[in-house]
Amino acid sequence: MNQELNISELIIDYQNSTQQVVQIFKNKFGVDNLIEGWHTGRYEQTGKLIENGLKFYAFHGIGIAAHFEDKLVDFDFAYLPELRHDGFDIWRLTSFAKSQPKKYGNYLDEELLEAKFESLRNKKIIHNPKIEFPTHLYFWTKDLTDEQIKSNITFIPKQIKSKWKFWK
């Protein structure tokens, strides 16, 4: 089987899991921006949503760690300028794979995962976009605009900037 397909499946599973967490909070609390919901007191920084499938969650900085029965997903939000939760990096993919060793045992070898990640990056299948406040996260190149791929800075709207103290 194609090795890039394997890592692609890992990334897609990771992204689907982040989407699942976001959807749980949207459905339960009626929020579009999970970080804003936490900062405005709609829910606690840490907690459980057992009835929704989350054994535990913890907001941190600009992200959230979420424990399901069968996996752990930790992700950060990015503003490109739209709010995105589908970004990934080696650390997050490694953690996700380690939480599911039966499913992703071949990626418990961090050197292999790094090599396959680097291969996707070199082939320009994934990309770290150039934005005003740099992110360490990568995205599928096909999901980014030409400007996010080519330019050095992407505009971040003033109303988003003003909400986050660490952006001042």
Side-chain angles (χ1 to χ4, degrees), residues 44-56:
E44 297 294 321
Q45 180 177 359
T46 62
K48 299 174 184 179
L49 296 172
I50 303 293
E51 67 280 4
N52 300 98
L54 287 180
K55 290 174 52 177
F56 176 77

Side-chain angles (χ1 to χ4, degrees), residues 121-135:
R121 198 176 72 72
N122 289 338
K123 293 176 182 178
K124 300 188 186 318
I125 295 170
I126 61 173
H127 186 75
N128 175 252
K130 306 301 180 201
I131 57 177
E132 185 174 356
F133 296 98
T135 179

Side-chain angles (χ1 to χ4, degrees), residues 20-166:
Q20 189 178 0
V21 173
V22 169
Q23 202 58 54
I24 287 170
F25 276 85
K26 284 183 174 187
N27 293 344
K28 175 104 175 139
F29 300 103
V31 295
D32 286 324
N33 182 324
L34 275 62
I35 299 288
E36 185 176 287
W38 162 41
H39 283 287
T40 58
R42 300 281 302 259
Y43 33 83
E44 297 294 321
Q45 180 177 359
T46 62
K48 299 174 184 179
L49 296 172
I50 303 293
E51 67 280 4
N52 300 98
L54 287 180
K55 290 174 52 177
F56 176 77
Y57 70 85
F59 283 90
H60 56 77
I62 57 170
I64 182 173
H67 299 235
F68 290 92
E69 185 69 38
D70 59 344
K71 61 188 167 193
L72 165 69
V73 62
D74 190 321
F75 60 98
D76 281 350
F77 292 92
Y79 298 87
L80 303 185
E82 72 282 0
L83 183 63
R84 300 276 296 263
H85 58 271
D86 58 331
F88 50 90
D89 60 17
I90 288 288
W91 182 84
R92 283 165 175 68
L93 293 175
T94 300
S95 176
F96 186 69
K98 284 181 178 180
S99 75
Q100 302 172 84
K102 289 182 182 173
K103 188 173 186 179
Y104 294 115
N106 57 328
Y107 287 114
L108 298 181
D109 176 347
E110 292 180 33
E111 288 182 16
L112 173 63
L113 182 59
E114 288 175 16
K116 295 304 168 187
F117 190 90
E118 190 64 21
S119 175
L120 291 178
R121 198 176 72 72
N122 289 338
K123 293 176 182 178
K124 300 188 186 318
I125 295 170
I126 61 173
H127 186 75
N128 175 252
K130 306 301 180 201
I131 57 177
E132 185 174 356
F133 296 98
T135 179
H136 58 280
L137 300 175
Y138 282 78
F139 298 83
W140 296 111
T141 302
K142 67 179 180 55
D143 294 336
L144 297 171
T145 66
D146 287 341
E147 192 169 304
Q148 290 166 330
I149 295 167
K150 294 177 186 172
S151 77
N152 290 330
I153 294 178
T154 297
F155 175 71
I156 299 201
K158 188 184 285 184
Q159 66 270 23
I160 292 175
K161 255 191 211 181
S162 66
K163 292 184 180 193
W164 306 106
K165 292 178 184 170
F166 58 86

